[in-house]
Each structure stands twice: as C-alpha cells, then as structure tokens.
C-alpha cells in the first residue's frame, strides 16, 4: 500500500480540517474554560461530529458506523489537534469503540457500537491507578460475588470519566499487580451504586476523573472477553488508540509550526523581520523536518493498524516520535513567539498544555522508547 | 580577637535576640516574601518586625553607605552577616527591584540628592519599585523604544506604553527608559528617569500568563509629568545605565540558587530498585541534567570568584543567563515526567491547584524575560567571540 | 497471462541463465563495485561478464530509451526487473555518476547528438564520469564559481580549479560548471560543459581525508580546450541543469538504504541481560536513534510514494538529505560507543585496519558534501517555509 | 578556596601554553605519524618536559618532583590538549605517579618516584581486558608461586604500554570477574619473561599495547599495597587520572572553538564572512558556553583532588561533562570548517581523533554518568 492518503482519506482530511476550523476553533475551548464548563466540551459539537460520521469511523456499517478505519480516525484526530477541538472523540469513538470491537461479546457490540457511532453513549476506558501508565500494574480487584463480580479499588485520570455513560474497567481477577495474566475487562455504568466519580480539571482545560470503586456489583454479563485474559484483547485496541493520540499530537505540532512561521514572517525587531534571522530559520527548518518524519511514523502505524494484527512496535514508534516532536514544537513555538507566547490571551499556551497531556496519555516518550526497544529485541 | 571575629559575635548575638522564630525557616512560597511598599500587606507581625529591626541597622542593604540607609559593611563583614543569617536559617527581610536594580544604578550614576531622596526608602521597604524597559515593539530590541519624554522646562511630559513591567500594579515608583531625542540613532537619545506610579496619567493592566498567574503588566503613560530632578545621569545617555542594569539582572536570573535536586524529587516519587531509580530512562535523563546543573553551579562559583579577584564579568553574564534559564526549563520538563499525570492537574487540592504544571509553564518565560536566549547568544557571539556583525 | 507476467517470467529465466553465481551475493565493500571506465580493472571474469550481458540488453540503465543504450522498460517492467534481481540477490552490474547524474541531465537537457554520443558509453560502462562543481572559494556557494571558459570560436578555453571532485583521478570525462560570462550576476553566466579528462592541461591531485582515504581530488584546468558541441543546454544557462542535478544527488545521499540495525550490532557486542542490552544508557540512546531512523525510513517510503503519485518532491529532498546525513553521523558515533576501545584502533588486522574508526570519520563528510546541512536548512526555510531572506 | 587559578598556577599555565606551542605543535604529532615512528612520541620532548618539571608535578620534592599537585597537572594537560603534544605524561607522570603514591611501599616509592619525575622511567597502568572500561571486570590471574606470584591473562589498550619500563598490573588474587574484592596491584617489568607486548596504533596516532601474560613470575615485593584490596588504593588514583584526562579534553575543546571562531572570522561565502550568519554564531556561542561550564567542573574536581580524600563524584562529573563537550566541540568544528575540515592536511582531524580516544579512556560519558548517578544515590 502506498504510504500516502488515498483519495477518500484525502477528502475526509479536507472535510475534517474545514469542519473543525469552522465549528471548533481554539476560541471554543477558551470559552469552555473561562465559563468553567463542567462537561469540558460542547455537546452540540459532539452531536454535529456524530452526524458527520466522526463518532463512527471505527464502527462497521452494520452497527451504524462508516467503518472508515484508523487512517481516517487519525486524519480526524490530527484536524482536532490543529484547533484543539474538545470532545469525547478519543475516549469514546476511538478507545471505547476499539475495546468493544476487540473484547466485546456480540450482545455488547450490538448494544454499544451503534450508540457510540451515533454519539448517544459515551464510553471510556479506566486503566491507570498511579501517575505513571502501565496496564499490568492494575491492582483494582474484581471478586466473584453473587453470580457476578464486585469491584473494589481506585482508577485515576480517566479521560471524560466525569460524563461517560459507560466505563470499561481493567480489573484484577487473579494474580498480583505487575502481572499481565489475571486481568479482566468489565463494563460498568458510571452511575452504578458504589462508584464515586471525582471530576479533575486538567492542565489542558479538559476533564478527567478519579473513580473510586467501593464494592461496585456487576453481573456476569459485564465481563468483556475471557476472564484473566483481558490484556490480550486490550493491548491491540490500546495500541491503536495510542496511534490516534500520536495523530492528534501531530496536528498540534503542525499547528505550532504554522503559527510560528507566520509570526516569523510578520514580526519585526531591530528593524527587520525576525524570520530573516538564520538562527531562527534553521530551528524552524529543523522543526519542520521532525514533524515530517513524525508524520511518516504516524501514517505508517495507522495503515498497519487498519491491516490488522499486532501493531505494538508501530504504536510505540509513533507515540514516542510524535511525543518527542510535540515537546520540541510547543517549546520552540513559545520561545520563538517571545513574550506574546507567554500570555494567556495568545493561543499557543493552549497547545503546549494539551500536548503534555497527550504526550503522557497511555505512556509517554520514555515508556514507548523502552517498549520499542523491548519489542525490537534489546 | 580580630575585628571581624568580634563583628561575628556581635552579629550572632543581635540576630539571636532580634530575629523572630517564625522568620527562621525558609520562605515556602510567594506569600512569605516581603516586597515592601506603600500598599504591602504584611503576612504577620513577625514579618513586619523583622523588616523594621533589620532596616534600623541598615542590614536590608548591608553594603550600602550608612548615610543612604545602608549598613556600611565591608565585603568581609557582609559575608559574615550572610553566614550568620544562614546559620539560623533567617529569611531575607526584604526583597525588591529597588535593592537589586535601582539601588546599584543610583549608587553608580545618581547625584547625592537623588541618593538621599530614594535610597533610604528602598532600604526601609517604604517604596516598591518597578522597571519600565520593554515596549510592545521593543522586546529584545530595547534600543528601538518609543515612549516619548518631552522637555517642558522643569518637567518631562511622558507618553507611551511599556509592557512586561513586573508587578507594576503593586509598585509605587518606576525607573523607566524614555526617548528624549527622536532624531538620534537608536542607542543614543534615551534617558533614564524615575517617577511616582500614582502620578496622574499612569495606568496599569495585569497580563494573564499561560500559567494562570499575572506577574507582569502593561503600563500606560498618558501625559505623565516627571520632575526633572529625577532624571538619572545625563540626558540622552540613559542607555549606559540600562546596560549596566541589564548585566546585573542577567546575573541575578542565571543564579537561581540551589533548588531541591531533581534526583531527590525523583527518588521520592519513583523509588529505588537495587539502589537505582526504577525508571532507567528517566534515571539517565536526570543524570545528564544533573551533570550539567552541577557543572553550572560550579560555573557560578567560578564567576563570582573571578569577579572577587577583580576580573571583569562583562558578557560572561550573558552566558550565565542563557545557560541557567535553559537548564531550569529542562529541569521542569523533567519534573513533569517524574510526576506523570499528577503533574498535569490544574485545579484541586491534591495538586495544590496545579502547582507543578503552573511552575513548569512559568519557566518558559525564563529564556524570554531579561533578554531572550537568542539575544544572549548574539551577545556572546559578538562581544566574547568577536564574530562579525 | 498479462504482458507484465510474461515479462517477469522471461526476465527470471534470463537472469537465471545469465547472472554468474559469484554475482549473486551482495557487494562486500568498495572493491566489489563495478564503476566501469577506460581504466577499470575488473575484479573477476564474472564481474566483466555480468556487466557485458546486462549492458547488451540495456539493463544497466533499464528505463533509458533503447536508441541510447537503455533497456526501454516501462516503470512497471523496471520494477519487475528490480524485484527479480533482488530475488536472486544479483549485484548491480554497474554503478556510476554517469548513470545517476549526467544521464538524467542529458536526457532532459541534451541534444539528440549529445545523447547518441555519450549515453551508450555510460550504459556500457565504457566511460566513467566525474562531476566538476565545487571550487576552493565556492563550496556551499556554487554560484560564485570562477573557473573561466573563453569562447574561442569552435571551442572553449578553460582555466581554473575544481575541488572535491569525486574520483577525478579515476574518471575519463568530466561534466563541469564553468563561468562563460563574468559580467553577469552570480547565477547567470554559468554553463554546463563536458570534456575528456585526458585533454591536455587537465591534472588531478587526490586529497587525503581524515579517514585516511582519498575519494576526492583537486582538479586543475590549464588552457584546456573543450569542443563547443559538448556544451549542454544553452550557454550561460548551466545553473538550471546544475540545480536539477543537485536535487537528484540530494535524494541519493539521503536515501542510504537499510544498514544493519544499530541494535543488532549492539546486541552482538554487548549481549543481553533479561532480554535487554546490558548497558542501559546505551540501550536508551540506541532506542532514541532507532525511533528516528525507523521514522526516517518511512519518510523515504512516503516521499517515493508521493513522487509516484505525481507529487513534486521540490525542496523536500533537502529535508531528506539533511535528516539522513545527520542520522548517519549519529549512528556512527553510537557504533563507536558500542565498540569501545576496539573501535579506536587504526592499524592492525584485528580491527581490519581501523575500519570502524575510518567509517565513522567518513560520515563527517555526509553533512558537507552535496550541499551542507546549513544549506539544506536554508533551502527548507526559504523554499518550504517561505521565511524572508 | 576560590575556584580560580592562583598566581602560581596561572604562571604554570602560561609557561605550559608557551612551551607546548613552541616545542610540540600539532605538526610534531603529524610528523611522528607520517614517519610511522614506533615510539609514538618524541623522547627529546619528554626529556625537555621532565626538565621543565612537568614529569614531577605529582611527585613530592623529597623524591625529586615539584609537588605542584593536580590543579597544576590539569593545567599542563590542558595545554597539551591544545597542541596534541604526544608524551607519556598521562601514563607515567599522572597515572603512574598517582598509583605509586597511593599504593606503593616506601621502597617502591623511593625506587620509582624519582625516576618518574626525572622522566627516566616510564610507568603505565594495565587495567582493562575488554573494549569497555571496568576495573572490577578484571580476570587476569595472579597465583601464589615460589614465594612470589605468577600472572596469567590478557590486558588490552595499555597507554604507552609498548615502551613503558614498568607496568602496574591489576590482577585477581581471589574472587571472580565482576567483584571488587580480590584484586591486587603488581609491579611488573615490561621486559619480564613471559610477557608479550603487541603495539597497537590507535586512531589518534598514539600507541597502546596489548599485553599477554603467559605465567609471568614476580617476587613477593612486586605486590603494591594489600593483597585483595587493590581497588581501594587504585580508585582514588584512577579518579584523579580521570580528572586530568578531562583537563586534556578541555584543552581540545577550547582549541577546536578557537580554530573554528578564527575560521568563521576569515572565511567568506555568498560574498560575506560566514561568521556573520546567525545560525553559526548561535552554535559557536552555545559551544563556548558548554566549554566554560566544563571548565568549571574540571577545575573544581582538580581542586578537590588536591584536597585529598574521595573524589569519585567529582571525577565522574568532570569526565562525563568534558567528554560530552569534547564530542560536541570536535563535531561542530569539523562541520563548521566545511570541506577543509575533512582533509588530512588540515589539523582539525587530529583533534577529533584524539578526543574520542580520551573520551573513552578510563570510562566514557555513559560509564561516568551512570557512576555519577550511583554516587549521587539514585
């Protein structure tokens, strides 16, 4: 397959770029923040996104989606990164849909996929329990109880966890923290009795939640996939989500470069355009190169994700590279904008804040560089 | 017993008697710092008492002459005072731009009358100063500033706008660069003048930063009258004073003291396995950082010793400013990584309202304020390496 | 069966019959590469036979027109030929600057006569070419070259000096940039001309490099006569051809194929503990490098696919050249570290006469030859990012 | 103590700078290389250095030295780095003298120190057995035999080992490779029976040796210090040697910067001096800063070395920082010189070659960064 967007994907990209520039410019996120909006995104926007088909890119046509696949999902995520459009797209349409698709029973799929695709139901995934990503570290316990299970423990930093209708919870049915075996996935209603949800406002003005499970009872049908083998189903879905996160990071990096180049073309100092200083030119050119190289890693990984099978190596490559590039891009953008970049009035601050959250989500550069090395056999 | 030994004993005894117990632990944050000024609200009776007692001996500015409110101490005595204060972990009684910046400039360039008028008020913490240098179209390029001061006989009429004025909304007086000759080339025709921020026509507007804090203001001058007696140095020669001060500022920013070692923070957060940080990649990055940080710390020590030995710091201060601020930015990127997603909270008690993230964002200004990294590198290239323009 | 399928079968059969067994393994080093030319000494009968057989079908330059000694293959056929050759690990029968550089330029800018005269000799490996671009005072700045070509009626009289002429001492002919108009501004007034290196007045002097090798020469022209019929394109318009060729060269250098993964070398040398490289810091550095290297490999793939889809490579090739060469330098610094003190031997059998160190030093030229890294960054800044001059 | 050179040290620096610029410019090393000189340094130069007192800087006055100490030794090493003066200074006057001082008996000191200081005897240290530094990895065996010891095994990359009169050998008297205990130091004559010495020409045109010990017999008096406790004595001496190596690296970096700045001030391209390009200016300024920061780490470590006691943390700091800076300085020097820097005719190639050898000697950046972290408690 050629490592470029095909016509259909190119069309989707143009549609998405236009849609978010029009419907969800950065000013929308700024307003949500200034209004201290407790949802953290515009429900109207989310509904419009669903109508555009963006919520069902990973859901097959039988279940009401478009089945556009991961390249498409990445293209839309990149467009969202460019305007910092806030929505439960990542949590629900990407992670939620991928995990349901990978681990759900036919009944669970039939229940959830159409609702995800229509935007009606927001699904999210609760994995991490500490400040550092690592699914295997899961300690939250699921004990057999009354024909079903009882969940006890803590999940933290669950994206959109404060508003999600359904939460897919990684829980330990056997073994101990650190082991890959013995983990299982459960579908839990956010309003379930015994589940305490604390909204957390993050640096990027989006919302995550801490979730305390105080013996939350679920039925046997809440189990997704095989008991104790949750990681087998989760890993492929999580890797695909990581690639889409990398795509959003790519959009952020590109936007930072574009804004910076424009500033360099317009701002004068010492009587000349600062874009004529070779020191800044070379840094901008280096940043351009890093972004293009990241773009290749992300696109390759998205294509491999669509092809099916194990994508761990590609996911860690894309997430590591896109994270590192986004760190460079946001830092360079701030520095090259000088004082104005430090002001809240100017938009660049929103980009650096969102970038660090996404860099960290589902494992940062170090996590994935380490995993890349391990998967490469060293 | 030598004079110095006697001075040490007397100082130790006086501090023992006069430094309140609550002033004997390091400042925990912004709120613990005493900035002084007309509108300063003391955080405690002790804070006020400590300032008054130290000011009464001139020890808020120990090396300034006594006639201007200083302590008149020699370098050696000043060193002993510092040592004795550190011994009991005494806080600095007063921190201000008047002490760091305007004071040294007035001592060097001011008239006797100007010194008598302004220095004692700085020493006693009565007047809080701010610095009016940058303008919207003269950031790194200070020489192209446009704020106009017209000669009106016994006063100057000032019109224009400053930006990035630190704490202008809290300051009582400003020391300000203004253009007194528009026909002159860029560096000439600039003057250095002082005036009251309560003068008619002065207004300030805090700038909200990406960290959520507002330490800087936009400052507007609309037909402000500044008395001629407050022009420092010669008219049109203010650039000399500004340059002198920038060097002072640079040294200050580059020299940020010794924060908690990064590795100690990481050890707390991540724990050790077989005596090593559990995250080997982070361990490597922290080691690289700390090798640079320790080497830089010794560089500050070396620069100070060189200055003491009579060496000219010159453009070396640009190097310290550049290196120190870049290191600090790197340090905070690593602190983010050490703290993982906890560092990315913005509100809420658990994270002290996002303190880690806000501090990280604050450091991004380090390499912009007080002369950008790019300007420091230009200075090194031209003044030290003598590369062609 | 489709035409292409038939072509594949015929090609496979022909290769099977005609590719000598010793030519069915990858070249191990410089000595295994066939450069052709009047003075080329074949390493073996097989090497000679393989060149002759492939040349007889035009397959040393498969896509060139048959009338000029090429194979006249379509893109699809050429792809199949490549696949079939890789299938049996057949070596490239001929490598030369004539094939990579002069050929494409002549095909685009040459007259029918020029093509007929020069291309078949390139295809058959009879004439080895070198490139005369850089001059002592025109390295990155090609446009300021000084080698003079005076119009003498039916020939040009050439005087001047070139530098960094790859293998000039081994080449038969040179394609050369010369100044035909000294009154013109820098980029105009340059012409592109061909002449025999055996012409009277041509001399070469190999330049010894820090690696100990001498792949480049200084080349001197002292009243050399070059026949006018060998001027390519219009007089004074040689810059257009040079630019076209530089883009070709850049793509070639950036795309260095896939060397043995660094991690495989490290695994061999350092061994694994619990499945990880024993040296954790080196493991981290290698992972960082390989993440960039893999991403870059996909970037070449993407650039090729974009070109195939009709996209214009343009200045993107500057990015590939810059990134690829910097990566390769980094790779060799890491290879030094992996091999420790063994890498630092310079003579002796054990280290194959310092092969690791010499290869490492060789890479330092990557970011200088074919347009320096700084020039590539300038091009990206100006042509892609459209930053002001 | 003030972190600057005192008057005496400043004077020594000026003397050394003048001496090496005059007596041992780079052309001397070039000639030794082109002549394929089998010693690898000028014996005349070494004799003159000894007469200047450079061979006895670490030897006390009673033993014929000047007792100038490590700051002085570093100042001279830096001067040597600037002109790449070849001599057994590092092997004999620094490492040799330090180890004899730290581990030698009175008799050994009386025999060796005056001879080192006069330049008469060249002493070197043989530690490493593989391509990667690590004293504890020593496997070479010293077995008790006939009232003395018998040494068997291989040492590699011994600086000046091809001409040294005496070799101090780190050998294992008990335990196994990897253990710190059980190592002992022995003084062996290079011409001892059973000792095979193979000269190796290194990248920097200097000579190291491989030494094969085929049951080399030494007397009991060949033991230096306490049997099995060789590392205790060796470590302090080795750390001090590492700091002096860092000082030579500093000289190389400084010389690279100076040559590069001069080139930038003189070379024209596109009609202007290339030193006026901001891209190159900023890189030169960054390099200047790194060198100054390295200089501080090296001087601090030299002062601490003179003060006595454990200098491990300072040694690893100085060696790591100076190595990293030298890598940057040599690479930048080559790149900024363009094509001319690649030619053998120009001197810069000699600097990059010597730099990598010294970076690697007694542990490179990674070795010391790792050790720095360990000694810092993480």
């Amino acid at each position: 397959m050629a490592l470029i967007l095909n016509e259909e994907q190119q069309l989707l990209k143009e549609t998405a770029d236009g849609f978010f520039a029009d419907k969800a410019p950065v000013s929308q996120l700024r307003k949500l923040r200034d209004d201290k909006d407790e949802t953290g995104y515009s429900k109207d926007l989310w509904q419009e996104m669903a109508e555009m088909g963006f919520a069902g890119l990973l859901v097959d046509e039988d279940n009401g989606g478009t089945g556009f696949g991961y390249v498409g999902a990445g293209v839309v995520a990149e467009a969202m990164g460019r305007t910092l459009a806030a929505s439960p797209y990542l949590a629900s349409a990407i992670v939620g849909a991928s995990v349901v698709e990978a681990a759900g029973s036919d009944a669970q799929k039939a229940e959830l996929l159409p609702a995800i695709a229509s935007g009606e139901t927001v699904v999210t995934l609760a994995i991490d329990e500490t400040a550092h990503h690592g699914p295997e570290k899961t300690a939250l316990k699921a004990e057999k109880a009354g024909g079903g299970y009882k969940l006890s423990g803590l999940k933290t930093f669950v994206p959109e966890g404060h508003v999600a209708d359904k939460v897919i919870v990684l829980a330990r049915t056997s073994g101990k923290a650190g082991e890959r075996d013995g983990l299982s996935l459960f579908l839990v209603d956010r309003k379930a009795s015994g589940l305490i949800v604390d909204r957390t406002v993050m640096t990027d003005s989006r919302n995550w939640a801490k979730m305390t499970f105080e013996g939350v009872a679920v039925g046997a049908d809440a189990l997704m996939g095989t008991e104790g083998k949750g990681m087998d189903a989760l890993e492929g879905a999580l890797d695909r989500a990581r690639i889409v996160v990398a795509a959003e990071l790519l959009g952020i990096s590109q936007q930072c470069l574009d804004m910076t180049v424009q500033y360099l073309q317009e701002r004068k100092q010492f009587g000349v355009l600062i874009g004529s200083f070779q020191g800044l030119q070379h840094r901008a050119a280096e940043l351009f190169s890093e972004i293009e190289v990241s773009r290749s890693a992300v696109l390759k990984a998205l294509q491999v994700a669509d092809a099916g099978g194990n994508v761990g190596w590609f996911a860690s490559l894309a997430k590591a590279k896109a994270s590192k590039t986004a760190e460079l891009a946001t830092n360079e953008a701030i520095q090259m904008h000088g004082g104005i970049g430090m002001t809240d009035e100017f938009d660049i601050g929103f980009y650096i804040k969102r970038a660090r959250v996404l860099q960290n989500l589902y494992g940062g550069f170090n996590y994935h560089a380490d995993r890349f090395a391990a998967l490469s056999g060293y | 017993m030598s004079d110095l030994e006697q001075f040490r004993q007397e100082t130790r005894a006086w501090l023992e008697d006069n430094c309140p117990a609550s002033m004997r632990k390091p400042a925990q944050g912004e709120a613990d710092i005493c900035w002084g000024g007309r509108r300063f609200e003391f955080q405690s009776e002790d804070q006020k008492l400590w300032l008054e007692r130290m000011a009464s001996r001139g020890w808020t500015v120990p090396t300034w002459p006594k006639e201007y409110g200083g302590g008149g101490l020699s370098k050696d005595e000043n060193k002993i005072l510092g040592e004795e204060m550190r011994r009991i972990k005494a806080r600095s009684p007063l921190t201000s731009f008047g002490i760091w910046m305007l004071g040294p400039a007035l001592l060097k360039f001011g008239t006797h009358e100007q010194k008598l008028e302004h220095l004692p008020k700085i020493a006693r913490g009565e007047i809080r100063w701010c610095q009016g240098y940058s303008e919207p179209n003269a950031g790194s390029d200070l020489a192209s500033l446009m704020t106009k001061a017209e000669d009106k006989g016994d006063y100057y009429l000032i019109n224009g706008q400053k930006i990035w004025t630190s704490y202008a909304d809290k300051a009582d007086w400003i020391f300000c660069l203004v253009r007194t000759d528009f026909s002159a080339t860029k560096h000439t025709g600039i003057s250095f003048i002082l005036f009251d921020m309560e003068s008619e026509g002065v207004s300030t507007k805090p700038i909200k930063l990406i960290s959520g804090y507002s330490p800087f203001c936009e400052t507007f001058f609309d037909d402000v009258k500044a008395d001629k007696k407050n022009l420092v140095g010669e008219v049109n020669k203010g650039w000399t004073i500004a340059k002198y001060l920038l060097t002072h500022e640079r040294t200050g920013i580059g020299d940020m003291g010794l924060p908690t070692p990064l590795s100690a923070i990481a050890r707390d957060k991540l724990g050790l396995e077989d005596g090593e940080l559990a995250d080997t990649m982070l361990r490597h990055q922290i080691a690289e950082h700390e090798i640079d940080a320790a080497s830089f710390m010794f560089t500050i020590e070396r620069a100070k010793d060189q200055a003491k030995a009579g060496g000219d710091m010159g453009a070396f201060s640009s190097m310290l400013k550049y290196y120190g601020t870049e290191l600090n930015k790197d340090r905070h990127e690593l602190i983010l990584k050490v703290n993982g997603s906890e560092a990315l909270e913005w509100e809420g008690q658990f994270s002290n309202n996002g303190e880690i993230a806000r501090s990280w964002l604050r450091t991004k200004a380090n390499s912009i304020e007080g002369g950008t990294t790019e300007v420091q590198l230009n200075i090194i290239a031209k003044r030290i390496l003598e590369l062609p323009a």
Side-chain angles (χ1 to χ4, degrees), chain A residues 32-83:
Chain A
L32 288 163
R33 181 197 68 174
D34 292 346
D35 292 351
K36 298 189 180 296
D37 187 285
E38 295 207 348
T39 304
Y41 61 85
S42 154
K43 289 191 174 174
D44 290 347
L45 175 73
W46 180 231
Q47 204 43 56
E48 282 188 84
M49 285 174 67
E51 281 157 24
M52 295 292 292
F54 297 162
L57 291 169
L58 302 181
V59 174
D60 55 283
E61 293 182 25
D62 290 350
N63 280 308
T66 62
F68 214 105
Y70 286 96
V71 174
V75 156
V76 171
E78 187 186 339
M80 294 176 71
R82 295 193 66 134
T83 72

Side-chain angles (χ1 to χ4, degrees), chain B residues 84-199:
Chain B
E84 290 303 317
M85 286 178 67
R86 275 194 296 278
R87 206 183 58 83
I88 61 168
K89 299 197 177 70
R91 269 185 211 168
S92 169
L94 180 64
T95 295
S96 84
F97 295 132
I99 295 178
W100 296 344
M101 302 174 75
L102 179 61
L106 277 184
L107 284 168
K108 193 171 168 85
F109 298 99
T111 61
H112 178 60
E113 287 67 32
Q114 288 171 336
K115 292 178 195 171
L116 268 184
E117 168 74 19
H118 297 293
L119 293 179
K121 293 178 190 163
I122 292 173
R124 294 193 299 266
E126 291 169 8
I127 293 294
R128 180 169 179 178
W129 288 83
C130 64
Q131 172 188 262
Y133 279 20
S134 293
E135 298 186 4
N137 287 303
S140 289
D141 174 23
L142 272 183
S144 65
L145 50 84
M146 304 286 286
T147 291
K148 189 161 57 173
E150 288 170 275
D151 189 335
K152 293 288 184 182
D154 55 354
Y155 66 89
Y156 287 98
L157 191 68
I158 299 178
N159 280 286
Q161 182 187 349
K162 295 286 174 185
I163 199 169
W164 308 120
T165 334
S166 299
Y167 301 114
D169 53 335
K170 300 191 171 70
D172 305 311
W173 276 65
I174 187 167
F175 51 98
C176 197
L177 287 179
V178 293
R179 185 162 289 282
T180 34
D181 182 355
F182 270 80
S183 67
T185 55
K186 301 171 91 189
H187 284 82
T188 54
I190 289 173
S191 300
F192 190 98
I193 198 165
L194 321 174
F195 52 90
D196 195 319
M197 292 291 279
E198 285 181 5
S199 310

Side-chain angles (χ1 to χ4, degrees), chain B residues 267 283 288 290 292 299 302 305 323 378 385-386 388:
Chain B
R267 208 159 27 206
R283 174 175 183 265
E288 286 217 45
E290 291 205 328
D292 287 346
T299 305
R302 185 162 71 87
D305 288 343
Y323 208 93
N378 287 345
L385 304 180
E386 299 178 350

Side-chain angles (χ1 to χ4, degrees), chain A residues 31 56 77 83 106 108 125 134 150 173 177 191 210 214 223 248 283 327 337 349 360 374-375:
Chain A
K31 187 169 185 320
T83 72
D106 287 348
Q108 286 163 337
L125 176 68
K150 212 175 64 182
T173 39
K191 293 179 175 156
K210 280 174 203 165
E214 297 190 335
L223 179 70
E248 188 175 339
R283 280 158 57 187
E327 187 159 319
H337 274 86
N360 185 72
L375 292 173

Side-chain angles (χ1 to χ4, degrees), chain A residues 2-4 261 264-265 273 275-276 278 281-282 284-286 288-290 292-293 295-297 299-300 313-314 317 320-321 324 365 369-370 372-374 376-378:
Chain A
L3 192 55
I4 49 176
V261 165
L264 295 179
Q265 285 164 341
L273 293 169
S276 67
Q278 197 197 43
Q281 286 188 349
H282 282 188
E286 283 163 5
F288 166 82
S289 305
E290 292 296 348
E292 287 301 319
V293 170
R295 179 175 299 287
S296 313
L299 182 56
K300 184 74 180 186
W313 187 88
F314 291 93
L317 174 70
K321 184 67 193 163
K324 194 173 166 192
F365 178 83
D370 178 77
F372 175 87
S376 301
Y378 61 95

Side-chain angles (χ1 to χ4, degrees), chain A residues 125-129 133-136 138 154-156 158 168-170 234 238 362:
Chain A
L125 176 68
I127 315 177
D128 288 324
E129 303 179 2
H133 180 64
E136 300 83 355
T138 292
L154 179 86
K155 288 288 174 184
T156 186
V158 182
I168 299 168
V169 183
L170 187 66
L234 180 62
L238 193 56
Y362 307 138

Side-chain angles (χ1 to χ4, degrees), chain B residues 100-101 104 243-257 296 299-305 307 312-325 366 369-371 376:
Chain B
W100 296 344
M101 302 174 75
K243 250 181 25 190
Y244 174 79
L245 268 186
L246 277 177
T247 307
H248 254 261
E249 183 181 13
R250 250 171 235 146
T251 321
I253 292 181
D255 175 6
M256 280 172 301
F296 180 65
T299 305
I300 292 173
E301 184 183 339
R302 185 162 71 87
K304 283 183 180 164
D305 288 343
D312 179 18
M313 179 78 87
F316 202 81
S317 63
S318 285
M319 192 278 274
L320 298 180
K321 200 280 176 178
Y322 147 66
Y323 208 93
T325 54
N366 294 162
E369 62 204 348
Q376 310 308 335

